[in-house]
C-alpha cells in the first residue's frame, strides 16, 4: 500500500482508492462515514434511505450517533439551548418527536381560521380550545413553541393567516407559563419574594412575545452597578458602597447614588410606570449595600431610606426618594407637595412585594381603562385584570370588571358564569349586576349553538353594481391621506343613524347612499370609509396592521391576497382586484377624474 508524504506507515488517499479491497463505501472508517453523512446537502430523508441500505450504514446512522445529532441541530438550531454540550441523547427519537409536534401544531393553527372567522366574537374561546388541543398532545412545550416561532420567522410576505394565529397561540401559551411562575412566586414566604422578579413576571405577562428575562435584566443591572461604582471611585473613593461584600448591607449615605435612571428605565418594557423604575432603583441600591423600602404613597410611588443605623418608625427619620423624578431626595413634608395635599403617617410606611405588584398592575389597569377601545387597550386591560386577580383573587370590584369585559368582548362565556358565581358568593349585594350578566351570558351561549353564517357577497348582483373597489386593494384616503387595505364592503352605509350624524356622512355629496368599505389603516385602526373618499394607491405598500393576517394570506407586492375564508365571503373580488392592479400598472398616473370630489367637512 502506498504511504503518504506526511509520514511513514500512513496510508494516502490514493492508496485507499486504488486498493480494490477498500473501494466500497462501507469499508470506510466510521468517523469518515459520519463526516460524509453530515454534509449539509443531505436531509433527514436521505439519512433514512442510507440507513436502509445495509447493516453497516444502519449502525453508522444509529439514533445516538453524530449523524442524527447533526440532522437535529441543523433543522432546529433554536432548540440547542435545551441540551448540554456533548450530551448523549437519542437524537433520532428527539427528531421524530419534534417532527410530529411540528405537523400537529401546524394542523391546529391552520384549523383556527375556519373556526375563528365564523365566530368573530369568540377569539379567546377559540384560542383556549386550541391551547387545550396542544396541551393534549403531551409533547414538550419547547417543541410546540419552536414550531410556532418557525412559522412566524418564515417568508415575511407569505402565510400571513398562519402567522396571525401562530402568534396568538404563542402569546397564549407563554402567558399560561408565566402565570404558573407568578403563582409559584406568590406562594413563597414574603421575605423571599424579590420585587425585581415579581416586576419582571408582570412585564413578561403583558409582553409575552418580547425577549425579557430575569437573568437579562439582572445582567444589565450589574452593568449599571459597575458604572455607579466607577463614578463613585472618581468622585468619592471612600464611599462605603465600594467596600461591602456581595449581598451585605451597611449604612452608606444615599448621597452620590443618583443612579442612571434614564438608563434603568429601558430595562422594563412599560417605561412610563414609576413603580417599575422604583423597583429597578431599589434593586440597584441593594447591590450597592443601601437598604431602600417601597412606600405606598398615594398617586406617587416613592422609596425610603432610614437615616438612623438601628432603624426607626418615625417618618421624619427617613429620606424619601422619587425614582421617577431622577432620584430626587425629599423630606417627609416635601412629599406632600407632589400630590398637593396632606396625608396621614400611614402612607409613609413600607409595603410588601405583593403590595408593590398590586400597585404596578393597578397602574396598568388604569392605562387600559383610558385606552381608545381598540384591541391593544382591551388586551392590556385583560392582561392586567388576569394579573391583579392572580395576586388578589377575591377583589369583587375587579372580578366584576373582568366579567363585564369578557361579556363585552364576547369571549369565555362559561368562564364569565364562573366569575359571576364567585362574585355572588363573596358579595351577595351584587345580585343585581350579577343577575343581568348571567341572563345575557346564557343567551350568548345559546346563540353560539346556532351560529349564523354570513351571507356571501357577489359583485355581479344587481344591488352591488355601484361597488367600484374590491377586497385586497391598497387604497389612499383622499382627504385624510392615510393608507389602508380593503377587507370588506357594503353597497350602502349600514351604520346607525347616530353614527351617520356624528361622522357627518349626510354632508357627503352621495351621503350614506353609496358603497362603504371596511379598511385596515396603517396606524393600526379599523375604519368605515365612503367610496367617494377612497382611491387606489398609485404606489401600493404593505399595511402594518395587526389584523392583516386575519383576512389575507399574502402580500403580493401590489395588493393583498384574501385568505380562503375572506374569498368565500367575497367570491368575485379577487378577479376584480387583479384587474384593478393591472390597470394601475399600465397607467400608474391615471386619475379617476369621474369620481365625485370630497367634501372638505367629512373625514370618513
Amino acid at each position: 500500500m502506498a504511504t503518504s508524504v506526511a509520514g511513514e506507515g500512513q496510508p494516502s488517499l490514493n492508496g485507499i482508492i486504488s486498493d480494490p479491497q477498500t473501494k466500497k463505501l462501507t469499508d470506510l472508517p466510521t468517523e469518515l462515514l459520519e463526516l460524509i453523512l453530515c454534509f449539509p446537502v443531505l436531509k433527514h430523508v436521505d439519512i433514512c434511505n442510507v440507513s436502509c441500505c445495509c447493516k453497516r450504514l444502519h449502525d453508522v446512522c444509529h439514533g445516538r450517533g453524530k449523524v442524527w445529532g447533526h440532522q437535529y441541530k441543523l433543522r432546529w438550531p433554536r432548540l440547542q439551548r435545551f441540551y448540554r454540550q456533548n450530551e448523549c441523547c437519542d437524537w433520532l427519537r428527539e427528531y421524530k418527536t419534534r417532527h410530529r409536534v411540528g405537523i400537529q401544531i401546524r394542523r391546529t393553527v391552520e384549523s383556527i381560521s375556519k373556526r375563528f372567522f365564523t365566530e368573530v366574537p369568540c377569539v379567546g374561546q377559540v384560542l383556549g380550545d386550541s391551547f387545550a388541543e396542544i396541551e393534549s398532545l403531551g409533547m414538550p412545550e419547547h417543541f410546540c413553541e419552536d414550531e410556532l416561532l418557525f412559522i412566524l420567522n418564515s417568508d415575511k410576505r407569505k402565510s400571513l393567516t398562519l402567522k396571525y394565529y401562530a402568534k396568538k397561540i404563542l402569546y397564549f401559551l407563554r402567558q399560561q407559563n408565566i402565570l404558573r411562575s407568578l403563582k409559584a412566586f406568590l406562594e413563597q414566604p414574603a421575605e423571599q419574594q424579590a420585587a425585581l422578579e415579581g416586576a419582571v413576571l408582570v412585564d413578561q405577562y403583558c409582553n409575552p412575545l418580547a425577549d425579557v428575562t430575569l437573568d437579562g435584566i439582572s445582567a444589565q443591572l450589574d452593568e449599571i452597578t459597575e458604572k455607579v461604582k466607577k463614578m463613585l471611585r472618581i468622585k468619592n473613593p471612600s464611599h462605603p458602597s465600594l467596600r461591602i461584600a456581595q449581598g451585605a448591607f451597611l449604612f452608606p449615605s444615599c448621597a452620590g447614588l443618583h443612579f442612571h435612571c434614564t438608563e434603568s428605565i429601558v430595562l422594563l418594557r412599560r417605561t412610563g410606570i414609576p413603580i417599575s423604575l422604583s423597583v429597578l432603583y431599589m434593586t440597584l441600591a441593594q447591590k450597592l449595600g443601601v437598604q431602600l423600602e417601597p412606600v405606598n404613597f398615594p398617586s406617587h410611588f416613592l422609596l425610603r431610606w432610614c437615616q438612623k443605623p438601628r432603624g426607626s418608625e418615625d417618618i421624619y427619620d427617613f429620606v424619601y426618594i422619587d425614582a421617577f423624578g431622577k432620584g430626587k431626595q425629599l423630606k417627609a413634608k416635601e412629599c406632600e407637595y407632589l400630590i398637593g395635599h396632606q396625608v396621614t403617617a400611614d402612607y409613609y410606611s413600607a409595603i410588601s412585594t405583593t403590595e408593590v405588584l398590586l400597585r404596578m398592575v393597578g397602574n396598568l389597569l388604569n392605562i387600559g381603562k383610558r385606552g381608545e377601545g381598540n384591541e391593544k387597550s382591551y388586551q392590556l386591560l385583560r392582561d392586567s385584570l388576569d394579573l391583579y386577580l392572580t395576586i388578589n383573587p377575591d377583589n369583587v370590584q375587579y372580578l366584576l370588571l373582568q366579567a363585564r369585559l369578557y361579556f363585552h368582548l364576547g369571549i369565555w362565556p362559561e368562564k364569565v358564569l364562573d366569575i359571576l358565581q364567585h362574585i355572588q358568593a363573596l358579595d351577595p349585594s351584587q345580585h343585581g349586576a350579577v343577575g343581568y350578566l348571567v341572563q345575557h351570558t346564557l343567551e350568548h351561549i345559546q346563540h353560539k349553538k346556532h351560529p349564523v353564517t354570513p351571507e356571501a357577497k357577489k359583485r355581479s348582483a344587481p344591488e352591488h353594481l355601484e361597488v367600484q373597489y374590491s377586497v385586497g386593494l391598497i387604497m389612499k384616503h383622499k382627504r385624510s391621506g392615510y393608507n389602508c387595505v380593503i377587507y370588506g364592503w357594503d353597497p350602502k352605509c349600514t351604520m346607525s343613524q347616530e353614527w351617520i350624524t356624528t361622522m357627518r356622512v349626510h354632508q357627503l355629496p352621495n351621503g350614506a347612499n353609496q358603497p362603504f368599505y371596511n379598511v385596515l389603516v396603517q396606524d393600526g385602526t379599523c375604519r368605515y370609509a365612503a367610496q367617494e373618499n377612497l382611491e387606489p394607491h398609485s404606489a401600493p405598500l404593505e399595511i402594518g396592521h395587526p389584523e392583516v393576517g386575519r383576512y389575507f394570506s399574502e402580500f403580493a407586492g401590489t395588493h393583498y391576497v384574501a385568505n380562503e375564508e375572506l374569498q368565500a365571503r367575497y367570491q368575485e373580488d379577487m378577479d376584480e382586484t387583479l384587474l384593478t392592479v393591472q390597470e394601475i400598472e399600465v397607467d400608474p398616473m391615471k386619475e379617476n377624474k369621474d369620481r365625485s370630489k370630497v367634501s372638505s367637512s367629512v373625514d370618513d
Side-chain angles (χ1 to χ4, degrees):
M1 183 179 291
T3 57
S4 67
V5 179
E8 290 188 19
Q10 299 295 323
S12 68
L13 187 61
N14 288 335
I16 291 175
I17 294 174
S18 62
D19 192 330
Q21 294 182 351
T22 58
K23 282 185 178 181
K24 292 190 297 182
L25 179 68
T26 52
D27 290 335
L28 293 174
T30 299
E31 293 80 1
L32 188 54
L33 283 173
E34 288 177 336
L35 183 63
I36 293 170
L37 294 174
C38 286
F39 276 20
V41 294
L42 296 177
K43 306 301 179 186
H44 70 280
V45 175
D46 302 314
I47 303 303
C48 288
N49 291 334
V50 167
S51 66
C52 293
C53 292
C54 64
K55 186 177 184 305
R56 168 71 170 138
L57 292 176
H58 182 272
D59 291 343
V60 172
C61 298
H62 67 90
R64 293 183 175 275
K66 292 182 180 180
V67 177
W68 278 111
H70 173 76
Q71 282 293 321
Y72 184 84
K73 296 168 185 176
L74 190 67
R75 186 167 179 185
W76 297 297
R78 278 190 300 267
L79 293 174
Q80 297 318 298
R81 61 190 178 93
F82 294 99
Y83 303 93
R84 295 187 300 273
Q85 191 171 7
N86 300 322
E87 179 178 356
C88 183
C89 181
D90 191 337
W91 296 111
L92 178 56
R93 185 182 64 186
E94 293 288 287
Y95 193 101
K96 288 179 178 178
T97 303
R98 171 63 182 84
H99 184 70
R100 283 197 299 269
V101 170
I103 293 173
Q104 188 60 50
I105 289 291
R106 191 169 287 263
R107 187 179 297 154
T108 299
V109 176
E110 287 172 347
S111 72
I112 295 178
S113 185
K114 294 178 176 60
R115 288 178 283 169
F116 179 46
F117 210 82
T118 56
E119 299 179 28
V120 176
C122 303
V123 185
Q125 188 66 52
V126 172
L127 290 179
D129 292 345
S130 302
F131 177 65
E133 290 174 17
I134 292 171
E135 278 194 321
S136 68
L137 296 176
M139 299 297 187
E141 287 186 5
H142 59 285
F143 283 1
C144 300
E145 182 168 315
D146 187 66
E147 180 62 28
L148 292 169
L149 287 170
F150 183 81
I151 293 171
L152 290 173
N153 292 328
S154 58
D155 191 329
K156 181 182 177 183
R157 295 184 171 189
K158 296 182 182 295
S159 304
L160 300 182
T161 301
L162 195 65
K163 292 176 185 174
Y164 176 79
Y165 292 106
K167 184 176 181 179
K168 286 188 174 295
I169 291 181
L170 181 61
Y171 192 103
F172 196 81
L173 280 171
R174 286 188 174 179
Q175 279 196 327
Q176 300 311 302
N177 290 331
I178 295 163
L179 214 54
R180 283 194 287 268
S181 298
L182 178 60
K183 288 176 180 178
F185 172 83
L186 294 171
E187 289 172 358
Q188 296 176 359
E191 62 274 10
Q192 295 179 19
Q193 294 177 357
L196 179 64
E197 182 180 356
V200 169
L201 286 169
V202 167
D203 184 74
Q204 287 176 330
Y205 192 81
C206 294
N207 300 277
L209 301 181
D211 187 20
V212 176
T213 65
L214 179 60
D215 289 343
I217 297 292
S218 297
Q220 292 180 67
L221 284 172
D222 287 339
E223 290 179 9
I224 297 173
T225 302
E226 289 305 313
K227 289 182 180 180
V228 174
K229 287 183 176 180
K230 184 177 180 180
M231 176 190 69
L232 286 174
R233 290 188 189 102
I234 297 172
K235 295 187 176 182
N236 188 0
S238 61
H239 198 283
S241 293
L242 299 175
R243 302 192 302 273
I244 66 163
Q246 182 69 28
F249 288 107
L250 293 178
F251 181 66
S253 166
C254 279
L257 298 184
H258 290 279
F259 303 125
H260 300 261
C261 292
T262 54
E263 192 169 356
S264 304
I265 261 185
V266 302
L267 297 185
L268 292 181
R269 307 288 294 179
R270 301 284 174 187
T271 57
I273 300 175
I275 301 173
S276 297
L277 182 55
S278 296
V279 170
L280 293 170
Y281 197 106
M282 183 169 61
T283 306
L284 280 167
Q286 183 178 358
K287 289 177 178 290
L288 291 162
V290 181
Q291 180 69 53
L292 299 181
E293 297 174 302
V295 177
N296 199 24
F297 202 71
S299 305
H300 208 95
F301 197 82
L302 300 173
L303 300 171
R304 73 178 191 179
W305 169 73
C306 186
Q307 301 179 83
K308 292 191 173 182
R310 299 183 183 278
S312 173
E313 293 300 322
D314 189 337
I315 65 171
Y316 297 103
D317 288 337
F318 289 86
V319 170
Y320 298 88
I321 301 169
D322 181 8
F324 201 64
K326 298 183 179 180
K328 185 178 181 180
Q329 297 175 18
L330 307 165
K331 296 178 181 178
K333 285 301 176 184
E334 291 177 322
C335 296
E336 295 176 351
Y337 297 143
L338 295 173
I339 56 175
H341 61 83
Q342 292 183 335
V343 294
T344 62
D346 293 342
Y347 288 104
Y348 289 91
S349 59
I351 59 174
S352 67
T353 296
T354 300
E355 291 172 303
V356 170
L357 297 184
L358 284 173
R359 278 281 300 254
M360 184 181 297
V361 175
N363 274 17
L364 292 174
L365 271 167
N366 290 331
I367 294 172
K369 289 177 184 177
R370 294 195 302 266
E372 301 174 354
N374 54 25
E375 185 184 1
K376 187 175 181 181
S377 61
Y378 280 136
Q379 186 65 59
L380 177 58
L381 196 54
R382 285 177 59 189
D383 291 345
S384 50
L385 278 170
D386 288 344
L387 288 166
Y388 197 99
L389 292 170
T390 297
I391 302 169
N392 185 9
D394 294 335
N395 186 295
V396 172
Q397 175 191 352
Y398 287 128
L399 282 168
L400 194 56
L401 178 58
Q402 187 179 55
R404 284 171 171 159
L405 178 64
Y406 286 178
F407 176 77
H408 173 74
L409 297 176
I411 61 176
W412 302 108
E414 290 79 8
K415 186 174 181 179
V416 170
L417 292 178
D418 291 339
I419 295 170
L420 294 173
Q421 186 177 9
H422 186 45
I423 293 171
Q424 188 66 37
L426 291 170
D427 185 2
S429 68
Q430 297 289 339
H431 63 87
V434 168
Y436 174 86
L437 287 171
V438 166
Q439 178 187 344
H440 286 81
T441 301
L442 289 172
E443 291 175 0
H444 174 62
I445 292 174
Q446 194 63 30
H447 179 72
K448 274 184 61 184
K449 295 178 181 178
H450 308 284
V452 178
T453 303
E455 182 182 355
K457 295 181 179 180
K458 294 187 177 181
R459 308 179 62 80
S460 56
E463 64 271 23
H464 298 157
L465 295 181
E466 292 185 11
V467 178
Q468 295 183 8
Y469 305 126
S470 50
V471 296
L473 281 178
I474 298 169
M475 311 294 288
K476 185 169 185 176
H477 196 279
K478 293 178 181 178
R479 174 165 175 77
S480 300
Y482 62 71
N483 303 318
C484 58
V485 57
I486 296 173
Y487 70 95
W489 49 259
D490 297 307
K492 311 293 179 187
C493 181
T494 60
M495 301 299 281
S496 66
Q497 187 58 48
E498 181 183 359
W499 185 89
I500 289 172
T501 302
T502 301
M503 301 304 294
R504 295 178 292 178
V505 173
H506 58 284
Q507 295 182 19
L508 286 168
N510 294 324
N513 193 32
Q514 63 174 309
F516 270 70
Y517 297 85
N518 300 104
V519 295
L520 302 175
V521 185
Q522 186 78 38
D523 63 5
T525 60
C526 301
R527 303 194 188 186
Y528 196 50
Q531 180 166 279
E532 64 185 78
N533 280 353
L534 295 174
E535 62 182 353
H537 204 294
S538 59
L541 71 168
E542 287 187 78
I543 303 298
H545 193 287
E547 293 293 299
V548 161
R550 180 178 169 189
Y551 303 99
F552 303 102
S553 60
E554 178 183 347
F555 176 64
T558 55
H559 63 284
Y560 278 91
V561 178
N563 59 24
E564 292 181 14
E565 290 70 40
L566 191 62
Q567 286 193 40
R569 189 169 295 184
Y570 297 92
Q571 298 175 359
E572 301 171 346
D573 270 41
M574 282 314 301
D575 290 339
E576 184 67 24
T577 296
L578 290 173
L579 285 173
T580 303
V581 167
Q582 289 171 3
E583 290 177 3
I584 295 173
E585 288 178 338
V586 170
D587 187 5
M589 300 303 293
K590 181 180 178 181
E591 295 289 335
N592 298 309
K593 296 180 181 180
D594 56 330
R595 294 182 187 146
S596 302
K597 293 183 179 180
V598 187
S599 171
S600 61
S601 62
V602 179
D603 178 34
D604 278 338

